[in-house]
């Protein structure tokens, strides 16, 4: 009996030591330092292709270096650089029945080549039904596989202008897109009821633009070929329409909070030195403009070698389940969440299935590409996305965050991932998406 009691005390002491260990490594001061820096005004909202995102990448690189991570195999630095191409319209002229259409009544989508000419030989005219919802018809037009002049009734002016604000910005495409001799173009014209004759000429400027994920590695031991990924996206929206004189979309919750978690977890697991599997920590770029960073990163991996992906997105406030809770997107698609919860037995923290299935969050974040390939790649979040008024606004700032919530969520992920990191648990695969 005394012997059992002795080992019980030893076990309790070991648990306490581990708890103290995590509290010493993942501290309030450290997470504050990370998230305050990433969401500071001088990062200028971390928009893709801006000095602000370059500055954020440099900061993340410096943290990886301090922690002692290694670059990805084949990379000399922590930056995983790749190129996209920006297509910006320089001039456009659209004539219908001899009348030049005013620029404010034009919206052009799909143009990805330098020069485009449209006429009756290569383009058709369609008209949106004014009695049917605009958005559904608009999406159908965007997915068309042929050039179209799309006539839009004036009753849709508000929605037309809202979408025009988005599509008037430069588009980002791949190299194979700009190498094509033609591209499918949709020209939306507001306020025209009919078009017997028409022509359009478009001139675009194409600019090669570098992007960069920031990634570091802790090599595994006995199962080094098997990889576990921890990620968050570090880009945001840059500058938005001013509110009370503030135009910087700081992106403190979206997703400086997730990037902070990823860096803190790298520091924690580097200190533990018990990862049998290789751990990759990556800050993705360009999530906000199409998930380009995650897609490029995923293409460089063999998905069969990736055991699990912990993508962390918006953990800056309590979830709808209350304190010490978070939800996991795609919870029902693998036993990833059950493994995490098993490892949290005896703690206050609980993981829940995604409470917002209508939002399709599972395929709206950087886990999506690997998940589609069968990897148990899930996003962990606490955001009340259905009522979050600060989402994608200039008010998403450090002052709006519950830093204790961030801290408790990071520690819960650190503890719950242990058996996956050390190789004793392997989540079931997700059914691959059919192409």
């Amino acid at each position: 009996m005394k012997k059992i009691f002795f080992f019980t005390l030893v076990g309790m002491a070991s648990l306490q030591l581990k708890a103290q260990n995590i509290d010493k490594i993942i501290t309030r001061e450290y997470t504050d330092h990370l998230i305050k820096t990433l969401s500071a005004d001088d990062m200028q909202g971390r928009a893709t292709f801006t000095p602000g995102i370059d500055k954020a990448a440099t900061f993340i690189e410096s943290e990886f270096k301090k922690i002692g991570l290694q670059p990805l195999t084949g990379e000399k630095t922590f930056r995983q650089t790749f190129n996209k191409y920006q297509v910006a319209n320089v001039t456009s002229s659209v004539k219908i029945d001899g009348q030049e259409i005013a620029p404010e009544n034009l919206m052009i989508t799909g143009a990805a080549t330098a020069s485009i000419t449209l006429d009756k030989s290569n383009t058709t005219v369609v008209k949106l039904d004014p009695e049917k919802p605009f958005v559904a018809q608009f999406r159908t037009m965007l997915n068309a596989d042929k050039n179209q002049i799309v006539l839009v009734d004036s009753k849709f002016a508000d929605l037309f202008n809202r979408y025009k604000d988005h599509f008037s910005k430069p588009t980002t495409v791949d190299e194979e897109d700009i190498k094509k001799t033609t591209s499918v173009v949709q020209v939306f014209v507001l306020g025209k009821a009919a078009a017997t004759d028409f022509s359009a000429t478009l001139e675009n400027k194409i600019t090669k633009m570098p992007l960069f994920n920031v990634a570091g590695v802790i090599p595994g031991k006995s199962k080094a070929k098997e990889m576990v990924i921890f990620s968050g996206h570090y880009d945001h929206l840059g500058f938005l329409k001013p509110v009370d004189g503030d135009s910087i979309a700081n992106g403190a919750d979206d997703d400086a909070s997730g990037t902070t978690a990823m860096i803190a977890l790298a520091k924690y697991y580097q200190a533990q030195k018990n990862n049998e599997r290789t751990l990759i920590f990556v800050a993705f770029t360009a999530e906000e403009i199409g998930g380009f960073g995650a897609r490029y990163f995923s293409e460089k991996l063999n998905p069969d070698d990736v055991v699990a992906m912990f993508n962390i997105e918006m953990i800056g406030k309590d979830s709808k389940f209350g304190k010490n809770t978070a939800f996991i997107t795609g919870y029902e698609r693998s036993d990833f969440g059950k493994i995490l919860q098993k490892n949290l037995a005896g703690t206050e923290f609980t993981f829940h299935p995604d409470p917002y299935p209508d939002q399709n969050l599972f395929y709206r974040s950087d886990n999506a590409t690997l998940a589609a390939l069968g990897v148990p790649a899930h996003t962990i979040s606490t955001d009340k996305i259905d009522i979050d008024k600060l989402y994608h606004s200039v008010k998403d700032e450090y002052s709006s965050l519950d830093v204790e919530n961030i801290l408790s969520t990071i520690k819960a992920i650190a503890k719950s991932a242990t058996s996956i990191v050390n190789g004793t648990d392997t989540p079931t695969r997700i059914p691959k998406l059919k192409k």
Side-chain angles (χ1 to χ4, degrees), residues 34-35 38-39 43 45-48 52-53 56-57 59-60 64 82 211-215 229-238 249-263 280-295 297 309-316 361 363-368 378-381 383 385 388 391-393 396:
L34 296 175
I35 200 162
L38 287 167
S39 63
M43 292 291 180
R46 308 186 308 279
T48 310
I53 200 167
F59 170 71
I60 297 167
F64 281 179
F82 59 104
L211 292 88
F212 29 86
N213 297 319
V214 186
I229 297 167
F230 295 88
S231 64
H233 73 88
Y234 74 108
D235 66 305
H236 200 232
L237 304 177
N250 300 78
D253 197 11
D254 182 19
D255 186 33
S257 67
T259 305
T260 290
M262 178 273 296
I263 298 170
I280 300 178
F281 301 88
V282 55
F284 289 125
T285 188
E287 191 269 355
E288 299 288 2
I289 62 170
F292 298 125
R295 271 192 253 167
F297 172 84
M309 180 183 193
F310 294 72
N311 185 53
I312 309 163
E313 172 105 35
M314 302 181 71
I315 57 170
L361 298 178
Y363 285 113
R364 276 177 55 188
S365 193
D366 285 323
N367 65 294
H378 299 265
T379 294
I380 296 171
S381 181
D383 186 50
I385 190 67
D388 186 352
Y391 175 65
H392 282 187
S393 80
D396 181 8

Side-chain angles (χ1 to χ4, degrees), residues 2-56:
K2 288 182 179 178
K3 191 173 183 179
I4 293 173
F5 180 67
F6 170 75
F7 280 114
T8 301
L9 286 176
V10 171
M12 290 175 63
S14 176
L15 287 173
Q16 289 173 352
L17 183 61
K18 287 181 180 178
Q20 289 172 357
N21 192 19
I22 196 169
D23 289 338
K24 288 180 179 179
I25 297 168
I26 303 176
T27 64
R28 169 70 184 263
E29 291 73 21
Y30 185 59
T31 54
D32 259 358
H33 161 66
L34 296 175
I35 200 162
K36 281 183 175 179
T37 304
L38 287 167
S39 63
D41 282 355
D42 62 1
M43 292 291 180
Q44 299 179 326
R46 308 186 308 279
T48 310
F49 308 125
T50 68
I53 200 167
D54 183 79
K55 187 171 184 176

Side-chain angles (χ1 to χ4, degrees), residues 153-433:
D153 193 276
S154 296
K155 71 176 288 186
F156 292 133
D158 287 346
L159 286 167
F160 178 92
N161 290 325
R162 190 183 308 172
Y163 280 89
K164 177 180 168 64
D165 286 343
H166 172 76
F167 284 100
S168 64
K169 298 174 183 177
T171 57
T172 304
V173 299
D174 292 315
E175 185 172 11
E176 59 258 31
D177 294 317
I178 64 168
K179 285 184 176 179
K180 295 176 182 177
T181 56
T182 60
S183 57
V184 176
V185 180
Q186 312 300 320
V187 178
F188 294 84
V189 180
L190 180 66
K192 274 288 182 182
T196 303
D197 191 26
F198 62 87
S199 65
T201 57
L202 313 173
E203 297 294 332
N204 299 314
K205 179 182 179 182
I206 298 175
T207 308
K208 185 177 181 179
M209 305 292 288
L211 292 88
F212 29 86
N213 297 319
V214 186
V217 178
I218 303 176
K221 299 178 178 65
S222 64
K223 298 183 176 183
K225 187 181 177 182
E226 299 177 9
M227 294 177 283
V228 181
I229 297 167
F230 295 88
S231 64
H233 73 88
Y234 74 108
D235 66 305
H236 200 232
L237 304 177
F239 293 93
L240 298 176
K241 184 178 180 180
V243 177
D244 300 327
D246 181 9
S247 61
I248 300 174
N250 300 78
D253 197 11
D254 182 19
D255 186 33
S257 67
T259 305
T260 290
M262 178 273 296
I263 298 170
L265 289 165
K267 183 180 181 184
Y268 174 72
Y269 285 118
Q270 178 74 326
Q272 299 310 295
K273 303 185 185 304
N274 64 354
N275 58 296
E276 297 302 318
R277 289 171 167 144
T278 293
L279 308 184
I280 300 178
F281 301 88
V282 55
F284 289 125
T285 188
E287 191 269 355
E288 299 288 2
I289 62 170
F292 298 125
R295 271 192 253 167
Y296 181 82
F297 172 84
S298 300
E299 289 167 358
K300 300 300 177 183
L301 300 176
N302 179 351
D304 294 336
D305 294 336
V306 183
V307 173
M309 180 183 193
F310 294 72
N311 185 53
I312 309 163
E313 172 105 35
M314 302 181 71
I315 57 170
K317 304 175 186 73
D318 288 353
S319 86
K320 71 173 295 180
F321 302 105
K323 289 197 175 296
N324 293 311
T325 66
F327 64 86
I328 298 173
T329 64
Y331 190 101
E332 72 289 350
R333 297 171 189 253
S334 77
D335 64 357
F336 174 92
K338 293 179 181 178
I339 292 172
L340 268 57
Q341 196 56 52
K342 176 195 70 175
N343 292 333
L344 290 178
T347 73
E348 294 181 327
F349 203 97
T350 55
F351 285 111
H352 295 263
D354 176 7
Y356 311 108
D358 293 343
Q359 297 277 349
N360 195 31
L361 298 178
F362 186 63
Y363 285 113
R364 276 177 55 188
S365 193
D366 285 323
N367 65 294
T369 304
L370 283 174
L373 297 173
V375 176
H378 299 265
T379 294
I380 296 171
S381 181
T382 65
D383 186 50
K384 299 185 181 83
I385 190 67
D386 58 335
I387 59 172
D388 186 352
K389 295 181 179 180
L390 304 188
Y391 175 65
H392 282 187
S393 80
V394 299
K395 299 298 184 182
D396 181 8
E397 299 178 316
Y398 174 82
S399 59
S400 72
L401 301 179
D402 179 345
V403 182
E404 290 302 321
N405 191 80
I406 296 172
L407 202 58
S408 67
T409 304
I410 297 172
K411 291 179 181 179
I413 296 170
K415 294 173 184 176
S416 66
T418 299
S419 64
I420 297 175
V421 167
N422 67 24
T424 57
D425 277 325
T426 302
T428 53
R429 306 295 283 183
I430 289 174
K432 295 181 181 180
L433 276 186

